[in-house]
Each structure stands twice: as structure tokens, then as C-alpha cells.
Amino acid sequence: MLKALVIDPGKCTGCKQCEMACSYENEGVFNPSKSRIRVFDFHEDARFVPYTCTQCDEAWCQQACPVNAITTDEMGVKVVSDSLCVGCKVCTIACPFGTINYNASTGKVIKCDLCQGSPACADACPTAAITYQDIEQTGFDKMKLWAGKTGAAVEIDGPNTPV
Amino acid sequence: MGWTGKVLRVDLTNGTSTSEPLNMEWADKYLGQRGLASKYLSEEMDPKADALGPDNKIIFATGPLTGTCASTGGRYSVITKGPLTGAIACSNSGGYWGAELKFAGWDMVIIEGQSPKPVYLTIFDDDVQIRDASEVWGKSVWEADAWVKSTHQDPMMHVAAIGVAGENKVLYSAIVNDLHRAAGRSGVGAVLGSKNLKAVGVRGTGGVSVKDFKAFMKATNDGKKVLKDNAVTGVGLPTFGTQVLMNVINESGALPTRNGRDVQFEGAKDISAEAMAEPRKSDGKPNLLTNQACFSCTIACGRISKIDEKHYTVQNKPQYWQASGGLEYEAAWALGAATGVSDLEALTYTNFICNEQGIDPISFGATVGAAMELYELGLIDKEKTGGLELVFGSTEALTTAVELTGKAEGFGKELGLGSARLTAKYGRPELAMTVKGQEFPAYDPRGVQGMGLTYATSNRGACHLRSYTVSSEIMGVPEKTDPLVTEGKAALVKAFQDATSAVDSSGLCVFTTFAWTLDDIAPQVDAAIPGDWTTEKLLEVGERIWNMERMFNNRAGFTAADDKLPERMMKDAAKTGPAKGLVSGLDKMLPEYYELRGWTPEGVPTNDTIDRLAM
């Protein structure tokens, strides 16, 4: 089964355990500046939003790479080969989401590779704001929530207001 | 590992900065953060020096677990001589700033001297610069935060700053980082103000390592599970925040009300956690929007609130319509019960201003309460207050007072002195609910007897965070004791003081100790740094730190005569609630406490104690 990271910003508290887990997994130290996942703090709206690569099927980064350093593995994950990457950064321009970035200390680009099928960020998240789920059922929880309201005598507050 | 091993020393008089190795011998004896920085302060400065003069130093210090994935591992402390108290000050803050300093490669920053003109400090890893702050002097914490990030075109910086209160040397001004996390108490903000240092902006790109990653991941994961499974840290704090205490403490008859005249507040339920979560009558929306975690924290007790846009305090001020740091229990008590005000929106507004201008809401609220009593006694009049009707329960008096205090205008200048100096000025020093010049927090020593001894002996003046015996006396953690008796409290206070000193030196948050004991913490520390860290070693380090702080204060001129509570706590019995008829039994607890500590009856550590602790 193919799986994907599912992010529910409503559950995020901004603790950055995901950034710590990601940097430890990939860099061997705690270093959020090298994390592939990043938590954004929209403090004026009281919202915290984790964001990372969604593993596009037809990935802009992959298509832009002039040395074919980005390949797709059997899980559909876009993986950067450090031995092929020349650090030209064209992929960082091509990616519409900003989720592939240059690492000045290695001269290569870094992006989320779902930790070979066991994403450390999802394991570390204390509130289940980040989960790893069946790629075809990422809407399951939201569907279930709305299904539960169908026909019930409850007022629905708005499209993104789970109770 | 754990420690970065590097100390940044900044000399503001000469405009220089240097890197030096961390004293590892001291690190093994004082751990980090509170303990280690207090050791540096004790060794490097004369405790008699003027807290607001160039000879005082101010240290921003992380612990060995700051910047790691240990739950709550993001704390830093500010250690200096406090201008409010004249004693050693140590104010602890969360948010993200402390971890960022660690990622920049520094265990601590020691700031000395006095800049001839307003400056701010930037730390980009090894690149440290003292820069001109004339453009941002006179601005708020919030403006300074935005200005530093925009000037350096780096939204990922974290900024610790003072507001106008710190610039004006309000004696209880705070240092605020990440907009609403504060090194709040004892006037550490005024020390930065006296040094003409507006802000410290940090950005770090390095990693934090630990001694044994495998053991560390196991120990920290075990710890996280304990926090999650505990009713307080797993449910109570994330859901209600520290404000869960408002109704509990009120029912215990230990909520100091109207400057300690009463021990229960009729408006408590209106300013409680439950009230914050309920839809408002005015606009149908709750005051509380969400909870927020500090760096690495899996508890997430922080409150994020939004004020009703139609409330009189903000109706023409859209800059306060955004979400920001909401009321924690201590602030809600000080701004509310201590002044008799029960308008939740007004308290939230006052709290926002405290964050915006860098004011400790505990000391501010308590000072307003003392001023209200002076006003009601006729010792201060309307002419003096500039027309302000300073009576208990006046919402308008509170919200106007905070604006004046932040800007140090009019009567705000006098409020900025704190209750001890204010009441002394008007001839009634006994009306200051203070110890060593610092205002009480939110627990009445008549209703929670252990807190009386806690306040009297706290090395930074009255404080709940030095030994939170409420945990045992009210909540039953780690075991229930009777809050109304003095028996056994000397030992309880000592045990809490020693353990807390160690926790405050580790990089962790003391709120973990609702669930964790040192047995949970020791394996996390031990996996992070060399030195065979056991529960016993942490306790010994904690006791050593406590005695070192005490000796700093003794050298500064404090004696046993300063370990006392205001007359009201010793003579005026609680009028209502479970503690009705009781006064504080401090006189029974204090001699026993000195003896348990190995101090002379004059409160001085004996040579045997100093030798036993290898000081």
C-alpha cells in the first residue's frame, strides 16, 4: 500500500518535535534549520501549520533536474541522490511549494523522502497532527466527520471547523 | 554534547564580544542554566554592586537539554542581580529563543558593562554584532521583534527584547521573547534597559548533539509517555492551561484577594480557565482560541487568546485584535483577584500590554492592588493619580494603570516602583505583600502554609516557582499533605527547592514535575552529557545551587531578618474558607528549615554544610 503524510494543522501546537525528529533522522543531530518538514507559526491567527513535500507524481523538481539526480522509488517517493546532485538549485526554483531546499553545508539539495517508509516526524508528533496513512484514503477522517453530521440535528459551523 | 562548550562574552562598555570555553568543572557541579550561570555570576561580580549600574552582569543561559527533543527542552534563564529585590535574580522563559541560542552554538551569553548609546545584539551562529538601536529605542517588544527580523531580512530569527518599561527601568520589567514568553520576574528587563541593550536577535543553523543518542531517545520517549499518561500534564494543562488552578485555589481559600485582605474572590469563576473557554455573551466567541507549545514541549499549556473587538479597551485599536498570549493563572490572579477586577477581556488586554511593553504581570497587578488599598485609606488621592479612581474592582483603573506604567507616564512612574517602595513612600510599608521587595504570586500563605515558608526563603524574593509545595498540599503530587498545618513543611520546602534548582538548570520546564520526578529526569540528563547523572547527583547539585544563591544574597547584605512575611500574613487571620481563622505559621517552620539546611540560626550556611556540598 502506498502511504502519504497527512497533516491536520488544527491539531498542531507548534512544539517542533517533528523538526527535531526529522533533523535527527537525516543529519544525526537536533537541528531544525536542516529539517525537511517545517512548522509555520501564523501567530496572529493562532494557527500552526506543518508543511513538507507532498511527493508529486509528476514532480517539477524531478523534471527540472539537469543531471537526473532525483528518482522515484517503489513507494512513489522522490529521492535525491547525493552522488549525482551537483547543487545547481534549479529544482528549488522549479518546485512550486518550496519544499526542496539547498543545504549549504553539503552543497546538495534536501527534501523529504518519507524516511524510507517510516516517517520520523509522524512518529514524533505528540498530537497526531502529522500521520502516515493510506495514500488513497487521506480524506477518511474528514469524510467520517462530515458523514457523522449528515442527518444529525447539529449545526455545522463551517467547512473547517471540526468539533 | 548536551552543552555546546562555548560561552559568548559581550562587553557593552567597550563594544566587544569574545568566545570562551565553558568551565566544565563548574558544569559538572552546577549542571547548566540557573545553576551554572549563577555560579558564573557569583564568581564574577560583587553582590553589593548596583543592580542598574555597569558592574552588574546579566547572563542568558541554556541548559544541557535545551535544543534537544526532550519534552520541554527549550528553556533558558536570565540570571543577574535583580533591581526589584537587590538579590540574585533568575527568570526562566520558554518559547523558541533558548533553543535557537543553542543552535547558534552557545551555552550562554554573559553581558557586561554598559553601552553609551542604545544598541541591540545579533547572533548568527559565530557572527556576533553589537548594532545601533536608536531607531527602535522607545518602541515596544512587539515592534522591536518585527523590526529586527525585517532589518536582517530573516523571519526565522528569534528575538528577546525589552519594551518601554525596561528602557524606563520599571523595577519589575521583563525580557520578552517570541512576543509573549517572558523572563518575567525581579526586573531583569530594567537591567537590560540600564545597559542600553534593547534586544538580542538569534539565528542558529548548527546542530545540538548528545552523549548517547540511543539511550537519549529511549529516556526522552519514556519521559514523554509519562507526561502523556498523567492527568495534569496529559489532560489538565493542555486543556485548561495553568488557569485550571483559579477555581481550585479559590475553593481552597488560598487566593489572595484585594491586596491580601481576603483569601477568596467572588469573581474567580469569571476569570477562570472555564470562563476563557466559554462563548462570550458579547459576541458568542470564546476568549481562548487554542493552546500553544513552547519549543519541544509535548504538554502545550500556553494560552492563545483574542479580545472581543467591541470591548472598550480595544474598540478603536485594531492592533490588539490579533491573537496573542492569553492569561496564565498567575497573571489572571494578579490582574484580577489582587485588584478585585473580574472583567476577563480587560484582564486579557492588560496582559497583552504587559507582553507588549515587557512588564511582569504578577508584580504589576499586585502593585496596583497595594495602590488601591492606599487610595481607599486616603493616602493617595485623585490629584496624585492624575484623576484615576483607584478603587478595588475598577476595571478602568487597571487598564489605564497598565498603559501609564508601560510608558512610565504620570502615576505609572510610581506604580513602576513596585509595592514595597510605593507603600513605603506613603508611610505604610506593611501593606506591601512582598518578600525581599518582590510581590507574592497567587497563593495565600494562610491557606497553603508551605507557600509561606517558600516565599520567605526564596532566593529571588517571593516566588511560587522556587518550591511549588501547592503541588503536594493542594494537588497531592507527589503525595498529599495538609495545606493548613506547618508540621513537615520545612522538609517539604527544602526537598522542592533542591529538586527544582536541578530542573531549572537542565533546560527542562518545571511543569513536567507534576508528572516527572528526578528519577524520570536523571536518565535524560545522563544520556545527554558526561558525568554519571543520577537522581542523587541532581539533588546534590540542586542543594549546592540553593546554598550558592543564598550565599550571594548574604554577601549582598541579606540576613535572616529578610526571611519574613508581611505583618498581614502573620496577624490578620483568613476570614473565609478552609483556612478561616488561620495566620501563617512561618515562625514555627523557619527555625526547623534553617536546621534542616545546615544553616546557623542566623540563616548562614555552616562550614560543615559548605564542605559537605564541596562548594
Side-chain angles (χ1 to χ4, degrees), chain A:
Chain A
M1 185 204 299
L2 296 182
K3 294 172 98 176
L5 286 175
V6 178
I7 291 170
D8 180 352
K11 291 179 179 164
C12 179
T13 62
C15 75
K16 306 202 179 198
Q17 282 285 344
C18 54
E19 296 186 9
M20 301 292 271
C22 178
S23 56
Y24 171 57
E25 181 72 24
N26 288 291
E27 306 287 332
V29 290
F30 302 117
N31 186 356
S33 77
K34 298 283 192 282
S35 175
R36 280 71 167 154
I37 189 166
R38 205 174 275 293
V39 181
F40 292 88
D41 176 358
F42 299 94
H43 69 269
E44 295 184 6
D45 307 322
R47 292 199 310 133
F48 311 98
V49 185
Y51 202 75
T52 190
C53 173
T54 54
Q55 317 294 342
C56 306
D57 274 353
E58 295 179 41
W60 280 268
C61 61
Q62 190 173 34
Q63 294 182 21
C65 179
V67 294
N68 296 322
I70 302 174
T71 54
T72 307
D73 75 5
E74 68 277 15
M75 297 290 283
V77 178
K78 303 299 176 287
V79 181
V80 179
S81 162
D82 274 2
S83 58
L84 295 177
C85 175
V86 295
C88 71
K89 311 173 203 67
V90 171
C91 57
T92 68
I93 299 166
C95 174
F97 309 106
T99 54
I100 186 163
N101 286 288
Y102 183 65
N103 180 0
S105 47
T106 58
K108 313 287 178 185
V109 294
I110 53 177
K111 69 178 286 298
C112 170
D113 64 359
L114 296 178
C115 299
Q116 294 81 49
S118 176
C121 55
D123 284 347
C125 180
T127 61
I130 306 165
T131 51
Y132 193 48
Q133 297 182 19
D134 178 350
I135 205 162
E136 295 187 349
Q137 302 296 336
T138 55
F140 187 86
D141 289 343
K142 276 190 226 168
M143 278 177 83
K144 187 178 172 189
L145 179 72
W146 285 89
K149 294 184 178 190
T150 305
V154 293
E155 191 185 332
I156 292 171
D157 313 299
N160 286 312
T161 317
V163 186

Side-chain angles (χ1 to χ4, degrees), chain B residues 216-354:
Chain B
F216 189 73
M217 296 315 265
K218 172 160 188 343
T220 54
N221 280 331
D222 289 350
K224 286 171 189 170
K225 185 164 186 324
V226 173
L227 293 178
K228 191 177 176 157
D229 293 344
N230 180 276
V232 178
T233 51
V235 182
L237 283 172
T239 311
F240 295 112
T242 52
Q243 269 275 62
V244 70
L245 288 163
M246 184 62 74
N247 287 320
V248 175
I249 301 299
N250 193 43
E251 280 155 26
S252 303
L255 193 70
T257 300
R258 288 176 284 268
N259 201 35
R261 282 179 173 177
D262 298 302
V263 294
Q264 289 182 305
F265 180 40
E266 64 285 354
K269 68 173 183 343
D270 300 323
I271 60 170
S272 66
E274 292 82 349
M276 287 171 73
E278 277 167 18
R280 286 183 287 245
K281 285 198 184 83
S282 52
D283 64 355
K285 294 174 185 164
N287 173 283
L288 177 73
L289 293 181
T290 188
N291 58 333
Q292 178 178 3
C294 294
F295 185 89
S296 236
C297 174
T298 57
I299 303 172
C301 74
R303 302 292 92 185
I304 302 297
S305 286
K306 181 171 160 51
I307 304 173
D308 175 6
E309 293 174 11
K310 300 276 190 318
H311 192 263
Y312 81 88
T313 49
V314 300
Q315 57 183 349
N316 298 315
K317 300 175 193 167
Q319 69 268 35
Y320 299 111
W321 293 357
Q322 63 175 32
S324 193
L327 293 165
E328 313 291 342
Y329 170 62
E330 301 297 331
W333 160 78
L335 304 175
T339 66
V341 175
S342 58
D343 178 336
L344 185 64
E345 300 304 303
L347 302 194
T348 307
Y349 171 74
T350 307
N351 196 54
F352 275 24
I353 301 292
C354 284

Side-chain angles (χ1 to χ4, degrees), chain B residues 331-563:
Chain B
W333 160 78
L335 304 175
T339 66
V341 175
S342 58
D343 178 336
L344 185 64
E345 300 304 303
L347 302 194
T348 307
Y349 171 74
T350 307
N351 196 54
F352 275 24
I353 301 292
C354 284
N355 289 331
E356 186 188 25
Q357 293 301 1
I359 297 170
D360 167 19
I362 300 180
S363 283
F364 168 74
T367 301
V368 171
M372 284 171 164
E373 185 156 7
L374 292 173
Y375 188 91
E376 292 201 348
L377 290 169
L379 296 162
I380 299 177
D381 58 19
K382 245 182 172 171
E383 197 183 329
K384 197 81 218 169
T385 65
L388 204 58
E389 185 109 41
L390 209 57
V391 293
F392 282 115
S394 169
T395 305
E396 200 196 331
L398 177 73
T399 58
T400 307
V402 77
E403 292 166 359
L404 292 174
T405 304
K407 294 177 191 154
E409 287 174 7
F411 190 62
K413 278 187 199 155
E414 297 203 4
L415 290 172
L417 297 171
S419 359
R421 288 168 180 83
L422 182 73
T423 54
K425 181 171 177 178
Y426 291 99
R428 297 294 295 274
E430 76 280 8
L431 295 181
M433 297 304 117
T434 56
V435 174
K436 299 183 177 69
Q438 178 156 287
E439 288 74 10
F440 285 10
Y443 313 88
D444 197 292
R446 293 165 291 195
V448 192
Q449 291 286 330
M451 292 310 276
L453 183 60
T454 288
Y455 295 168
T457 59
S458 162
N459 289 323
R460 69 165 182 173
C463 169
H464 56 298
L465 294 167
R466 287 298 172 274
S467 56
Y468 194 68
T469 59
V470 172
S471 185
S472 164
E473 298 179 87
I474 304 291
M475 299 160 76
V477 178
E479 57 191 32
K480 185 78 176 79
T481 53
D482 183 347
L484 303 179
V485 306
T486 55
E487 288 76 31
K489 295 300 164 60
L492 187 73
V493 167
K494 176 182 181 294
F496 269 80
Q497 286 173 338
D498 292 347
T500 306
S501 299
V503 176
D504 287 346
S505 303
S506 68
L508 300 175
C509 175
V510 73
F511 289 179
T512 56
T513 57
F514 290 118
W516 287 351
T517 66
L518 291 182
D519 290 341
D520 298 290
I521 292 171
Q524 302 185 55
V525 174
D526 188 55
I529 51 176
D532 296 321
W533 290 85
T534 59
T535 295
E536 293 69 36
K537 180 165 172 176
L538 284 172
L539 266 180
E540 187 190 316
V541 164
E543 187 178 3
R544 186 179 294 129
I545 293 166
W546 191 266
N547 279 273
M548 173 182 57
E549 292 173 340
R550 176 78 181 190
M551 287 158 75
F552 181 100
N553 286 347
N554 286 348
R555 285 195 287 145
F558 287 90
T559 67
D562 299 297
D563 297 343

